[in-house]
Amino acid sequence: MLATLGRRAILASYAVLIVVPLTVILFGTFKTTGALFENPFAPPTSLSAENYRTVLTEQNLSGAFVNSTLVTVVSVTLTLFLGSLAAYGVARIPGWRGWLIFGFLVLGMSVPAQANMIPQYVLFGRLGLLDSLLGLILINVVVTLPVAVFILGGFMRTLPSTLYEASALDGSGPWRTYRSVVMPLSLPSLAATAIFLFVMHWNELLYPLLFIQSAEKRTLPLALLSFQGEFQTDYPLLFTGVVLSSLPVVVGYVLLQRYFVAGMTSGAVKG
């Protein structure tokens, strides 16, 4: 009984810690700066969309939204394709050799991003990829590819070898087996990886801050920094930008939640 009450108390406290800041942010999107500081917990007196209009038009958040969408969609697509190919190849290698190659591919997860930033900046500068969305896409793929291989490889190793043998007996080569057998069976794991990568790329600030200088090429996290000045921060506009930038992630997770849970669970099973 006491243990149950303790768990409920902990969960209730955690819920309060989540709900209260979210409520302040949502209420703040309909307030002025003065009204927000006067009583941040009070509901807005009117549901004026002035902050949303200002953010989308005057602050050009719509342009940053397009840039983030382009970078995120292309980065996730390329990472899933390359990661699934690598995971499929590793899963077909039996014994310790497969595990050794798998470990080498996911070794990049243990290297802090900050440790590679100076050589990456120099390299991309020599290639002419600084201040470009293409350079941002390439660095996103490189950095998150080990994550995709780790998740997808864990699932593909659970597929029985008889599937590959049956496909070979039907006359299918490696590419046909990958496309017609492995990929359809890997849809839950692909969906889970896609959501995970989408959140990482969509919220990425470090590399856009390092690589992007032009205002018209800013992504959403970088654009939100413009709401914070040296001596003053426009919190209602900042809250509005945060809400708008969070909507795609929330909607995507709600629609693909069951695939995310199924994919992460199946990837955790050792075959």
Side-chain angles (χ1 to χ4, degrees):
M1 183 65 178
L2 291 177
T4 302
L5 292 177
R7 286 195 297 268
R8 290 180 179 177
I10 293 174
L11 291 175
S13 302
Y14 180 75
V16 170
L17 292 175
I18 298 298
V19 171
V20 171
L22 285 178
T23 302
V24 172
I25 291 175
L26 291 175
F27 286 171
T29 61
F30 300 102
K31 295 181 180 180
T32 62
T33 302
L36 178 64
F37 280 101
E38 182 179 355
N39 191 349
F41 301 101
T45 56
S46 63
L47 297 179
S48 174
E50 181 65 22
N51 288 331
Y52 290 90
R53 186 193 66 79
T54 301
V55 164
L56 292 174
T57 57
E58 298 179 12
Q59 298 293 334
N60 194 30
L61 200 68
S62 57
F65 189 93
V66 173
N67 291 337
S68 282
T69 302
L70 176 63
V71 170
T72 301
V73 170
V74 176
S75 298
V76 170
T77 302
L78 287 176
T79 306
L80 283 179
F81 176 67
L82 297 176
S84 61
L85 284 177
Y88 169 67
V90 170
R92 294 296 305 271
I93 301 176
W96 62 270
R97 294 180 180 85
W99 285 108
L100 181 63
I101 298 176
F102 178 75
F104 177 77
L105 291 175
V106 302
L107 188 63
M109 296 174 58
S110 63
V111 180
Q114 294 81 356
N116 298 322
M117 282 190 167
I118 294 178
Q120 287 169 347
Y121 185 87
V122 174
L123 176 61
F124 275 60
R126 292 179 178 178
L127 295 175
L129 293 174
L130 292 179
D131 197 28
S132 71
L133 297 182
L134 176 60
L136 203 55
I137 290 171
L138 290 178
I139 196 65
N140 282 343
V141 174
V142 170
V143 171
T144 57
L145 189 58
V147 178
V149 175
F150 178 75
I151 299 176
L152 295 174
F155 173 80
M156 290 184 183
R157 281 190 167 276
T158 65
L159 298 178
S161 58
T162 53
L163 287 176
Y164 303 122
E165 296 171 359
S167 179
L169 289 176
D170 290 339
S172 299
W175 172 250
R176 180 67 181 273
T177 303
Y178 164 81
R179 180 169 52 89
S180 302
V181 177
V182 175
M183 293 304 287
L185 293 175
S186 302
L187 285 180
S189 184
L190 287 170
T193 309
I195 294 174
F196 194 72
L197 293 175
F198 183 87
V199 173
M200 292 179 65
H201 294 320
W202 187 263
N203 294 326
E204 178 61 46
L205 173 62
L206 201 56
Y207 283 107
L209 190 61
L210 180 66
F211 288 172
I212 301 299
Q213 289 86 37
S214 303
E216 64 272 11
K217 296 178 182 178
R218 295 182 303 182
T219 56
L220 272 175
L222 195 57
L224 292 177
L225 289 180
S226 63
F227 300 138
Q228 183 175 356
E230 183 177 0
F231 303 104
Q232 184 178 356
T233 300
D234 195 331
Y235 286 103
L237 292 184
L238 180 60
F239 289 168
T240 305
V242 169
V243 169
L244 290 175
S245 64
S246 301
L247 284 178
V249 178
V250 174
V251 172
Y253 181 77
V254 169
L255 294 177
L256 300 175
Q257 181 181 9
R258 64 190 183 96
Y259 296 106
F260 180 78
V261 176
M264 295 303 293
T265 303
S266 59
V269 178
K270 182 178 178 181

